[in-house]
Every structure is written in C-alpha cells, then in structure tokens.
Amino acid sequence: MTNAKPHPMQKITHFWSWFQKNEAEIVNALLLGIRTDAVCFELQQKLCLVSEGISFIIAVPLENPKEFRIIFSCQGQPELFDTLLALEKQAPPLKYTSAQVLIPPLEEERLQ
C-alpha cells in the first residue's frame, strides 16, 4: 500500500464539493452575522487542504447582497498561480456565490 498524496486537481475538486454542499450555510452565516468566525475558519481550513498559501475574502456587492463573490489570492506567490487559476476554473455552478482570483502584481523591487 502506498501513501500517495492526492493530485492538486483532486484537492480542488474536494474543496468545491465541500463548498457546494455547505454554500447555503456559509451564505446564511454571513448574511445573519451568526458563527461568521467559525464558518470562515472552516472555509480557510478546507482551502488549506488545496494549498496553505491560498487565502480568500468574501465580497458582498451592495447592489445585490445575495450574490456573494469569493475572491482567492496567493499573495503574489508565483508558484501558486497555476493552482489559483485552476481553483477558479474548476468552480462549479453555485447558487449564491461566484469565484474569482486575484493575482496581485509582483512588487516593483522584486522585478529589478
């Protein structure tokens, strides 16, 4: 028996399966302000299974507070760009949430 690690794409699939199953609970917690810290902590824990370098924020557009946007970032770590883009690309159709990635530009000092 081998202890093979799951392929990164499998980790992303597992994350999205969990998110899709729990989307209503996540959205309700944020809308009602109930258990938001616990929900965000659990979401970050599940995301860390994909990669510890990926973080998220959840944005709520003022014009439609029922259309949440989860924005993933890798804090400019180039080795995570492919994972981040795959996370966005593999996002399933969601009822209340859309997925987006944010890859901030590299700092000017690092480019010189």
Side-chain angles (χ1 to χ4, degrees), residues 15-16 19 26 30 40 43-44 47 54-60 68-75 84 87 97-102:
F15 170 79
W16 281 122
F19 189 92
I26 293 166
L30 296 171
C40 288
L43 180 54
Q44 185 62 55
L47 192 55
I54 296 176
S55 60
F56 74 94
I57 59 170
I58 297 179
V60 183
F68 286 78
R69 187 174 325 132
I70 184 164
I71 304 168
F72 300 101
S73 175
C74 63
Q75 309 302 320
L84 200 64
L87 191 62
T97 315
S98 62
Q100 178 182 339
V101 298
L102 173 66

Side-chain angles (χ1 to χ4, degrees), residues 32-102:
L32 300 173
I34 300 171
R35 296 186 56 240
T36 55
D37 290 343
V39 168
C40 288
F41 178 79
E42 186 174 6
L43 180 54
Q44 185 62 55
Q45 293 296 97
K46 297 296 183 184
L47 192 55
C48 280
L49 297 175
V50 174
S51 173
E52 291 185 14
I54 296 176
S55 60
F56 74 94
I57 59 170
I58 297 179
V60 183
L62 294 175
E63 63 277 358
N64 190 350
K66 292 187 180 183
E67 289 184 13
F68 286 78
R69 187 174 325 132
I70 184 164
I71 304 168
F72 300 101
S73 175
C74 63
Q75 309 302 320
Q77 299 176 59
E79 67 276 9
L80 294 177
F81 289 177
D82 288 340
T83 303
L84 200 64
L85 293 171
L87 191 62
E88 180 182 46
K89 184 177 181 181
Q90 285 191 28
L94 300 165
K95 190 170 184 176
Y96 308 104
T97 315
S98 62
Q100 178 182 339
V101 298
L102 173 66

